[in-house]
Amino acid sequence: MKQPLANILPVAPTPFHDDGRVDEDGMRRVIDCMIDQGVDAICILANYSEQFLLSDEERTLLMRLSLEHAAGRVPVIVTTSHFSTEIATQRATAAQSMGAAMIMMMPPYHGTGLSAAPQGIFEHFEAVSNAISIPIMVQDAPLSGVNLPVDLLARMARELENVSYFKIECPFAADKLAALIEAAGEYIDGPFDGEEAVTLLADLDAGATGTMTSAMFPEKIRPIVTHFLAGDKQAALDQWQKCLPLINHENRQCGLRAAKAVFKEGGVIRSEHVRHPLKPMSERTRTRLIELATDLDVMALNWGK
C-alpha cells in the first residue's frame, strides 16, 4: 500500500444458511454492499466474522472467495490469529499469497489462563513479521484476556518491520492510544480504535486515524473520522451524536448479531443465522435495533430491495 489505511475498515460478517452452512453467494453480496457503503478496506475472518466457529477449510474458502470477489476494489485485511505461532505464520503467508493487503492478529491466548509471556508475544509477532511483507495490525481487545502494555506494543512497532497498525479496544483506549503514539508514533502507520466506535471521539482526540467497526453502517460512521481529521471537530461531534444510540445498542445489546440482522432486513443476506452456541437476539432487542437503524436511514436496510 502506497498510503497508510485510515478512516474506516469494517469487519465483514460471515453469512450462513439457516442450516448453518456457509452462504457463499451471501458472502459476495456482503462484500459488494460494504464497497457500496464507501469503506476504505474490509476485514474478514475476525471475531465479528465468527472466526472461532469456522473450520480451517471454511476459513480458506472464505478467504479465497472474499479476495477474489473484492478483486482489488478495496484492500482486504485477513485476521490470522491463533495460539500456535506456526499456525499463525502459515495463515499469514497464505493470506498474503492470495492477495491480502494486511493481516490482523490478536496475541496468542487460549482462555484467560493460557497465554504467552511478553517475550513470547513479541516472538509470536516477530515470526509472522519475518514471514511476510505486508503490514500487521495488532488487535488489543479484552476478549483475549492478555495484557499488552504500551512498552511491549511500542517495542513491537519499533523493532518489527511489518507491525505498523494497532487496533486498541481495551478499557481506557484513548489513554493507551495516546501513550502508544507518544512512545512509538513515528513507527505507526495506523492507530485505530474498535468496539463499534463507542469511544471513537475520545480515541480521535488521542490521535487515532481510523476505526474498525462492524459492517452495519460504516457510511454513517466514516464522516465522524473524516470530519475530525479535516479539522472540523464540531461536525465530527454532531455526526457521532447522531450515530451514538445505534452504536451503543449494537455494542451493549447485540454484538456481532446486529450487522447480520440489518443485512437480512435489507436483503443483503438471506439468513441472520449465528452458529451454536451463539443464540439469536431476543425479538425485543432486534426490534429496537431495526427501529434505530431505520431512523438513521442505514444503507444496508435498503441495499438488496
Side-chain angles (χ1 to χ4, degrees):
M1 293 179 293
K2 295 181 180 179
Q3 295 293 327
L5 287 177
N7 301 323
I8 193 162
L9 325 176
V11 172
T14 301
F16 302 113
H17 295 288
D18 285 337
D19 62 5
R21 292 177 296 115
V22 170
D23 181 356
E24 296 181 36
D25 183 59
M27 190 72 230
R28 295 183 183 95
R29 290 171 63 81
V30 165
I31 297 294
D32 288 338
C33 179
M34 292 178 71
I35 291 171
D36 286 349
Q37 289 168 325
V39 303
D40 295 278
I42 294 172
C43 181
I44 62 170
L45 302 178
N47 296 324
Y48 261 38
S49 313
E50 296 175 71
Q51 60 90 8
F52 35 77
L53 291 165
L54 298 170
S55 69
D56 290 345
E57 293 77 15
E58 289 170 332
R59 284 182 52 88
T60 301
L61 167 68
L62 288 161
M63 181 166 58
R64 188 181 305 280
L65 182 157
S66 298
L67 286 161
E68 288 180 353
H69 192 68
R73 289 178 287 169
V74 295
V76 175
I77 303 162
V78 178
T79 307
T80 60
S81 305
H82 200 279
F83 186 77
S84 163
T85 301
E86 181 179 359
I87 294 174
T89 301
Q90 291 171 350
R91 287 181 172 183
T93 55
Q96 177 174 292
S97 70
M98 289 188 194
M102 183 189 301
I103 66 161
M104 183 169 73
M105 293 170 54
M106 297 185 76
Y109 74 98
H110 192 71
T112 56
L114 188 57
S115 60
Q119 182 58 28
I121 294 171
F122 180 89
E123 291 169 357
H124 184 82
F125 281 91
E126 181 181 37
V128 175
S129 180
N130 289 342
I132 62 175
S133 58
I134 56 177
I136 298 170
M137 176 180 278
V138 180
Q139 183 178 7
D140 182 6
L143 178 67
S144 72
V146 176
N147 180 38
L148 292 173
V150 169
D151 59 351
L152 173 60
L153 296 176
R155 180 190 172 200
M156 290 164 61
R158 289 193 300 265
E159 298 182 23
L160 302 181
E161 181 177 1
N162 294 310
V163 175
S164 52
Y165 288 78
F166 294 84
K167 180 186 179 185
I168 307 298
E169 48 187 348
C170 58
F172 308 105
D175 288 343
K176 192 166 190 177
L177 276 163
L180 178 58
I181 291 166
E182 182 178 2
E186 64 183 296
Y187 299 94
I188 298 173
D189 290 329
F192 274 71
D193 98 329
E195 283 280 283
E196 296 75 66
V198 74
T199 61
L200 178 55
L201 209 64
D203 296 336
L204 289 169
D205 285 336
T209 57
T211 184
M212 184 179 286
T213 64
S214 79
M216 185 168 65
F217 65 127
E219 81 282 0
K220 302 294 184 180
I221 296 176
R222 187 179 190 274
I224 303 170
V225 183
T226 56
H227 285 318
F228 189 96
L229 296 181
D232 193 343
K233 295 185 180 181
Q234 186 59 52
L237 174 60
D238 291 345
Q239 184 67 14
W240 189 64
Q241 289 175 328
K242 291 176 184 176
C243 293
L244 194 53
L246 184 52
I247 290 172
N248 184 69
H249 191 69
E250 177 185 27
N251 178 262
R252 303 299 295 172
Q253 304 297 329
C254 307
L256 62 83
R257 300 168 297 183
K260 286 190 161 186
V262 168
F263 276 31
K264 165 66 162 53
E265 195 74 14
V268 183
I269 57 179
R270 299 181 185 88
S271 171
E272 57 194 273
H273 179 86
V274 291
R275 282 185 169 175
H276 195 271
L278 298 180
K279 298 290 186 180
M281 283 183 283
S282 70
E283 193 56 39
R284 178 192 68 254
T285 300
R286 190 184 189 281
T287 297
R288 175 65 68 185
L289 172 71
I290 301 304
E291 288 175 352
L292 290 169
T294 300
D295 289 345
L296 206 55
D297 192 23
V298 166
M299 180 189 293
L301 279 178
N302 298 296
W303 186 87
K305 293 180 177 178

